[in-house]
Amino acid sequence: MLLLCYFICQIRVGGSGMDMRSKARTLPGPVSDPSELPKWNYDGSSTGQAPGEDSEVILYPQAIFKDPFRRGNNILVMCDAYTPAGEPIPTNKRHAAAKVFSHPDVVAEVPWYGIEQEYTLLQKDVNWPLGWPIGGFPGPQGPYYCSVGADKSFGRDIVDAHYKACLYAGINISGINGEVMPGQWEFQVGPAVGISAGDEIWVARFILERITEIAGVVVSFDPKPIPGDWNGAGAHCNYSTKSMREDGGYEIIKKAIDKLGLRHKEHIAAYGEGNERRLTGHHETADINTFLWGVANRGASIRVGRDTEKEGKGYFEDRRPASNMDPYIVTSMIADTTILWKP
């Protein structure tokens, strides 16, 4: 009997910490668990992750998703990268995150994440937002957020294709919307538990890169792609623990927020490059040097929803992460600060 041959797209984070790389291979039959997959390798000297004289970097398969491009039994595999000796390379942020999420105290709290990933679609040859006149600007912000119409909404075909592809892949994508700046969009992933939030955001980003590649459009995760009176792009992280979701959880939430305030500088340093251009105190942000929280306040570092306040339990939103943040770093850092750290 012939065995089915299919492609696996090995996904990993490249040398810059933000770029994604992939390669494909054929195996003799279907696979349902990462442990069934072989390790693989690539030339780390070509990605800035290893010297030429010792260039081999080893891929460890970690999570499997259905492949929305090849379909059938084909799969996408999220991998992290190690030296031949088995040490995680510096850009492998998943390894440290997995340690946090496997800690018994964190496991017991079942941390949920909902990540709002904003991004900007750019015209390929001019690096200017989709729908904007080349060398010029559209009308001021106001009519574009959650808009419809060819004069206000730019790139919906890409956005909907990405939405459908993520659903097919098995990513827990929970919604999409047009953003305040024209040409800017957002998708939400979650609720996702622990390390899976990082896996799903990275694979969703990969799928978006593939779809924009097909469309001849560039996707930017820059936190402030256009200077001036235009909104930046973030990756707000909604978060709760088991204790926060139970009766009396609001008091747990307030204690967690206090701990986040004490480590504000450390979190900001890890929440994405160029975030100082976005966190100015304007355009629905708090100033980067100021930590404040409030109920229904989109100008705060941490926002608590009205429903959470009313019900006395629920979740909160960390609005500080930039759109180019590493979800492994952000999610594990929030868990570490709010669950494990003892000030």
Side-chain angles (χ1 to χ4, degrees):
M1 184 177 68
L2 292 176
L3 292 175
L4 172 69
C5 294
Y6 63 98
F7 291 102
I8 300 174
C9 190
Q10 301 271 5
I11 309 167
R12 73 268 186 190
V13 183
S16 73
M18 188 62 207
D19 62 311
M20 286 165 280
R21 310 292 181 108
S22 67
K23 57 191 295 189
R25 69 182 295 173
T26 305
L27 292 181
V31 170
S32 59
D33 190 88
S35 63
E36 302 174 48
L37 291 164
K39 294 175 184 176
W40 207 11
N41 66 76
Y42 65 95
D43 172 16
S45 68
S46 296
T47 62
Q49 294 171 298
E53 63 273 13
D54 188 15
S55 65
E56 198 164 281
V57 177
I58 312 302
L59 291 170
Y60 287 30
Q62 299 291 0
I64 289 176
F65 299 85
K66 292 172 66 178
D67 186 340
F69 303 101
R70 298 183 176 107
R71 295 184 288 183
N73 286 314
N74 302 300
I75 56 177
L76 303 176
V77 183
M78 184 66 198
C79 301
D80 56 357
Y82 295 79
T83 67
E87 295 296 320
I89 65 172
T91 54
N92 178 358
K93 306 304 181 185
R94 192 186 192 281
H95 179 80
K99 286 185 176 180
V100 172
F101 287 120
S102 63
H103 191 287
D105 293 350
V106 177
V107 172
E109 283 291 352
V110 196
W112 288 2
Y113 297 90
I115 299 174
E116 306 170 32
Q117 176 68 71
E118 295 179 340
Y119 60 93
T120 308
L121 297 175
L122 304 177
Q123 302 170 62
K124 183 168 72 74
D125 296 326
V126 293
N127 234 29
W128 200 238
L130 201 65
W132 290 35
I134 295 176
F137 296 87
Q141 295 183 153
Y144 309 108
Y145 175 67
C146 295
S147 64
V148 294
D151 58 339
K152 295 181 288 292
S153 181
F154 312 117
R156 189 183 299 277
D157 52 344
I158 292 170
V159 174
D160 279 351
H162 175 249
Y163 197 174
K164 293 174 185 176
C166 285
L167 287 170
Y168 180 92
I171 293 167
N172 191 19
I173 185 169
S174 45
I176 57 98
N177 61 267
E179 268 303 330
V180 177
M181 189 183 86
Q184 194 177 85
W185 293 82
E186 172 185 302
F187 66 88
Q188 302 94 32
V189 167
V193 179
I195 196 76
S196 65
D199 290 338
E200 292 190 25
I201 282 288
W202 273 119
V203 176
R205 286 173 173 175
F206 173 82
I207 292 172
L208 181 58
E209 291 271 15
R210 286 284 308 277
I211 288 172
T212 53
E213 173 189 321
I214 293 167
V217 170
V218 174
V219 58
S220 170
F221 296 103
D222 189 286
K224 186 73 173 180
I226 304 296
D229 194 17
W230 304 98
N231 274 36
H236 303 158
C237 187
N238 298 276
Y239 170 73
S240 71
T241 63
K242 184 173 181 288
S243 299
M244 295 174 190
R245 296 188 292 269
E246 294 175 343
D247 290 343
Y250 194 36
E251 293 304 312
I252 306 296
I253 287 173
K254 289 191 285 187
K255 289 177 182 177
I257 292 173
D258 288 342
K259 292 170 78 174
L260 288 168
L262 293 174
R263 296 185 77 183
H264 177 63
K265 288 184 178 179
E266 293 94 324
H267 279 256
I268 286 294
Y271 272 16
E273 293 186 14
N275 214 9
E276 72 283 351
R277 293 182 281 117
R278 167 180 162 262
L279 297 180
T280 61
H282 304 288
H283 303 109
E284 302 180 52
T285 69
D287 181 84
I288 194 168
N289 297 309
T290 302
F291 181 87
L292 60 95
W293 73 277
V295 176
N297 183 359
R298 282 182 163 74
S301 312
I302 305 290
R303 181 186 67 87
V304 175
R306 290 283 183 203
D307 287 346
T308 294
E309 180 189 44
K310 181 180 178 180
E311 296 176 12
K313 59 185 177 182
Y315 70 97
F316 64 83
E317 175 192 42
D318 191 340
R319 297 179 60 81
R320 297 171 295 173
S323 51
N324 60 4
M325 62 85 176
D326 187 318
Y328 294 134
I329 294 175
V330 169
T331 56
S332 61
M333 196 172 192
I334 292 173
D336 180 68
T337 294
T338 60
I339 301 172
L340 300 179
W341 185 54
K342 310 298 181 187

